[in-house]
């Protein structure tokens, strides 16, 4: 009956548990300017404000690239590490949610004790057995919302970890495409250099024949040989960079570097989207970019931790209860004579000395302020990166168009110069200059094609797509 008398008081305490101290989180507002269209969209006809597709790399219509990125998203080690961090954050959330449930402890013991003669009232030593079974339970009443805020913080950490996993997917998809494009681009530049070597070799052979026939000079032969050697010197560098990109590509897909992908090894043309690129607007960007979502969720978690620290300024109330059975014989343990219980609240409060609790509250508030600044900075960085990528992509396209014209013009000029030289209308110096111009124009065009591919990939990476519908992460045997 005395235990039942505690029920009204406990009910009053539970009624107060709806009070949750600390700030309630609200997502920071985004300005209309940031949520609108990108400035570069109005300046370039190569991009449009249409929605970015989930798998942006499929715009290249390249099955090899599709397969490589799918492999990377499934097996890359950075993505696996981010997935493990997400699993840890989910487990931490489950731990915090468990604080809403009573903690219980079941115990059983059997002891045999001996009392010395000097300690016995009868001055005789004796031995006794004692058997006991007990059940203890405690429940913390979330009177000021400390447990609720802790769960909110853990949920924010889990969501931030999920966004960081998506960010890893964005980065790996882009870097896989970049490694593939770099390998293909270096193969293309190598092919251009090899073709140029063939043309310059023909010029050198012709110069030698003319010299042998008495129509040229040794200097003409040496100059033609110098031009040929300069072009030949470029080929090993292109080949080395091509192989280096293939090694990087293997590692990105979770393979040892020596396992070079055969299809990528055969690629000789960098992938390129020739259609108008869909880029969306600022509002879609901020909703899609994983780093923005991670920063926002981290801010929510740190705001909740302010509530956890605030709750520590107030009393903590626990309901404690235990039931026990004990006897000197096993058969008598659960008889009424061996029954015992205890029930009641435990109130604890670090008052009046709250120096430590208030210091922790100030720390939590400072961390929250820092997270807000980081969120604002992440938003600005996302917008900046897209505008920069758009500007560089537009510049790469304009440069490429000009170099295409330059390559065509230099090729025609070299043909005319050779004809005129063959008929004696031009000097060998003019022929060499024309050959050099053609070689430079062809090399610049090939390099520009690679730069366009790289600029496209940088733009897609800045837009933050590619994590939607990612495959399950698995370990590939090294």
């Amino acid at each position: 009956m005395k235990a039942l008398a505690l029920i009204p008081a406990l009910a009053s305490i539970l009624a107060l548990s709806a009070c949750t101290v600390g700030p309630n989180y609200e997502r920071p507002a985004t300005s209309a300017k940031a949520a609108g269209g990108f400035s570069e969209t109005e300046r370039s006809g190569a991009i449009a404000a249409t929605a970015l597709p989930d798998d942006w790399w499929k715009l290249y219509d390249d099955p090899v690239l599709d397969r490589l990125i799918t492999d990377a998203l499934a097996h890359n080690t950075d993505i696996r590490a981010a997935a493990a961090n997400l699993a840890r954050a989910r487990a931490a959330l489950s731990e915090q949610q468990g604080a809403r449930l009573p903690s219980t402890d079941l115990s059983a013991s059997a002891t045999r004790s001996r009392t010395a003669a000097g300690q016995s009232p009868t001055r005789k030593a004796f031995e006794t057995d004692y058997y006991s079974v007990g059940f203890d339970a405690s429940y913390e009443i979330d009177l000021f919302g400390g447990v609720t805020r802790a769960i909110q913080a853990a949920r924010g950490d889990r969501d931030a970890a999920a966004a960081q996993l998506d960010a890893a997917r964005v980065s790996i998809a882009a870097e896989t495409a970049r490694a593939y494009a770099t390998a293909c681009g270096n193969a293309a530049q190598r092919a251009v250099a090899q073709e140029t070597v063939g043309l310059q070799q023909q010029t050198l052979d012709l110069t030698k024949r003319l010299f042998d026939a008495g129509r040229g000079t040794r200097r003409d032969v040496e100059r033609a040989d110098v031009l040929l050697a300069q072009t030949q010197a470029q080929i090993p560098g292109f080949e080395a960079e091509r192989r280096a990109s293939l090694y990087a590509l293997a590692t990105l897909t979770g393979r040892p570097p020596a396992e070079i992908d055969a299809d990528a090894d055969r690629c000789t043309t960098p992938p390129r989207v020739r259609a108008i690129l869909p880029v969306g607007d600022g509002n879609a960007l901020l909703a899609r970019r994983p780093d923005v979502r991670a920063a926002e969720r981290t801010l929510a978690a740190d705001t909740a931790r302010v509530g956890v620290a605030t709750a520590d300024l107030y009393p903590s109330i626990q309901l404690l209860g235990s039931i026990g059975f004990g006897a000197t014989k096993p058969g008598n343990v659960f008889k009424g004579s061996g029954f015992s219980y205890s029930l009641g609240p435990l109130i604890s409060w670090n008052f009046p000395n709250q120096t430590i609790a208030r210091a922790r509250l100030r720390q939590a508030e400072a961390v929250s302020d820092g997270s807000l600044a980081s969120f604002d900075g992440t938003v600005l960085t996302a917008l900046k990166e897209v505008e920069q990528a758009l500007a560089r992509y537009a510049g790469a396209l304009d440069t490429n168009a000009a170099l295409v014209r330059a390559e065509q013009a230099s090729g025609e000029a070299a043909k005319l110069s050779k004809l005129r030289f063959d008929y004696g209308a031009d000097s060998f110096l003019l022929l060499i200059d024309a050959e050099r111009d053609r070689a430079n124009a062809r090399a610049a065009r090939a390099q520009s094609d690679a730069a366009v591919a790289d600029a496209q990939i940088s733009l897609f990476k800045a837009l933050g797509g590619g994590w939607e519908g990612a495959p399950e992460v698995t370990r590939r045997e090294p």
Side-chain angles (χ1 to χ4, degrees):
M1 295 300 294
K2 292 182 179 179
L4 294 176
L6 295 173
I7 292 178
L10 298 178
S12 300
I13 293 175
L14 291 173
L16 292 173
S17 64
C19 176
T20 303
V21 297
N24 293 319
Y25 175 73
E26 293 184 4
R27 179 188 172 94
T30 302
S31 67
K33 185 70 173 177
F38 302 114
S39 300
E40 289 293 325
T41 306
E42 303 173 358
R43 298 187 178 95
S44 175
I47 55 178
T50 54
L52 179 73
D54 292 345
D55 301 335
W56 53 262
W57 51 88
K58 293 185 178 179
L59 295 172
Y60 288 99
D61 195 22
D62 188 331
V64 176
L65 179 60
D66 293 346
R67 176 179 56 79
L68 289 170
I69 292 182
T70 300
D71 284 351
L73 293 178
H75 304 297
N76 181 266
T77 54
D78 289 344
I79 293 178
R80 286 170 47 204
N85 289 335
L86 174 58
R88 179 193 58 78
R90 286 171 174 167
L93 174 59
S94 297
E95 178 184 359
Q96 292 297 335
Q97 289 173 332
R100 286 198 181 279
L101 303 175
S103 61
T104 58
D105 181 33
L106 183 63
S107 62
S109 65
T111 60
R112 181 174 180 83
S113 61
R114 183 178 187 278
T115 302
Q119 297 174 335
S120 170
T122 61
R123 297 299 177 181
K124 293 182 179 180
F126 65 93
E127 297 179 350
T128 58
D129 295 329
Y130 192 78
Y131 304 91
S132 66
V133 176
F135 177 77
D136 299 325
S138 65
Y139 176 71
E140 181 177 356
I141 299 175
D142 195 18
L143 186 60
F144 296 100
V147 174
T148 299
R149 294 302 193 195
I151 293 174
Q152 291 174 354
R155 187 175 291 117
D157 290 338
R158 178 205 60 188
D159 295 342
Q164 288 163 356
L165 172 58
D166 293 337
R169 288 168 173 155
V170 170
S171 178
I172 294 304
E175 293 311 310
T176 301
R178 194 188 308 279
Y180 176 70
T182 301
C184 297
N186 278 288
Q189 294 181 74
R190 181 194 59 186
V192 168
Q194 289 172 337
E195 186 178 352
T196 302
V197 164
L199 295 173
Q200 292 175 344
Q201 184 66 58
Q202 294 176 8
T203 300
L204 176 61
D205 294 341
L206 174 61
T207 307
K208 288 180 178 179
R209 288 195 299 270
L210 292 175
F211 173 71
D212 293 339
R215 287 187 52 191
T217 66
R218 172 60 65 179
R219 182 185 179 192
D220 293 341
V221 175
E222 296 298 336
R223 294 195 61 169
D225 194 21
V226 167
L227 189 60
L228 173 62
Q230 288 175 340
T231 306
Q232 288 175 328
Q234 298 174 2
I235 296 176
F238 292 139
E239 175 61 17
E241 290 301 321
R242 187 187 74 88
R243 294 201 308 272
S245 298
L246 291 173
Y247 295 142
L249 189 60
T251 303
L252 285 165
T253 55
R255 294 183 174 90
E259 293 186 18
I260 291 177
D261 187 86
D263 293 330
D265 192 18
R266 289 190 292 268
C267 179
T268 57
T269 303
R272 180 170 174 179
V273 180
R274 299 189 180 276
I276 295 176
L277 297 190
V279 298
D281 57 17
N283 190 49
L285 170 72
L286 299 179
R288 182 177 56 246
R289 284 257 307 210
D291 57 340
V292 174
R293 290 190 289 113
E296 187 272 331
R297 289 288 80 201
T298 298
L299 173 60
D302 290 338
T303 302
R305 290 188 180 94
V306 175
V308 175
T310 304
D312 288 341
L313 298 175
Y314 297 92
S316 172
I317 301 177
Q318 286 184 306
L319 300 181
L320 305 178
S322 66
I323 297 175
F325 296 89
T328 57
K329 296 181 179 180
N332 297 333
V333 169
F334 292 101
K335 291 185 176 180
S337 59
F339 173 71
S340 63
Y341 77 90
S342 65
L343 177 67
L346 171 64
I347 301 177
S348 60
W349 189 13
N350 56 353
F351 184 84
N353 184 4
Q354 294 187 316
T355 303
I356 295 177
R358 293 190 179 278
R360 289 173 178 169
L361 174 58
R362 293 195 300 271
Q363 293 176 44
E365 290 172 339
V367 170
S368 178
D369 291 342
S371 296
L372 176 59
S374 296
F375 171 76
D376 291 340
T378 303
V379 169
L380 295 176
T381 298
L383 296 170
K384 177 200 70 175
E385 288 178 353
V386 172
E387 294 286 11
Q388 288 179 332
L390 288 171
R392 288 166 180 156
Y393 177 55
L397 288 178
D398 293 342
T399 299
N400 188 258
L403 289 175
V404 168
R405 296 196 309 271
E407 181 189 17
Q408 294 171 348
S410 65
E412 293 298 323
K415 291 179 182 178
L416 291 174
S417 182
K418 189 174 186 306
L419 288 174
R420 290 176 63 83
F421 176 76
D422 291 342
Y423 285 100
D426 276 353
S427 67
F428 182 74
L429 179 60
L430 293 176
L431 174 61
I432 289 295
D433 287 341
E435 291 283 358
R436 182 184 294 109
D437 290 343
R438 178 174 61 181
N440 291 338
R442 288 169 60 83
R445 160 69 188 282
Q447 185 177 7
S448 177
D449 289 343
V452 170
D454 187 77
Q456 285 181 341
I457 294 168
S458 295
L459 175 57
F460 286 130
K461 182 179 181 181
L463 291 171
W467 52 267
E468 306 91 336
E472 181 181 355
V473 181
T474 58
R475 180 179 184 269
R476 193 194 298 276
E477 290 294 333

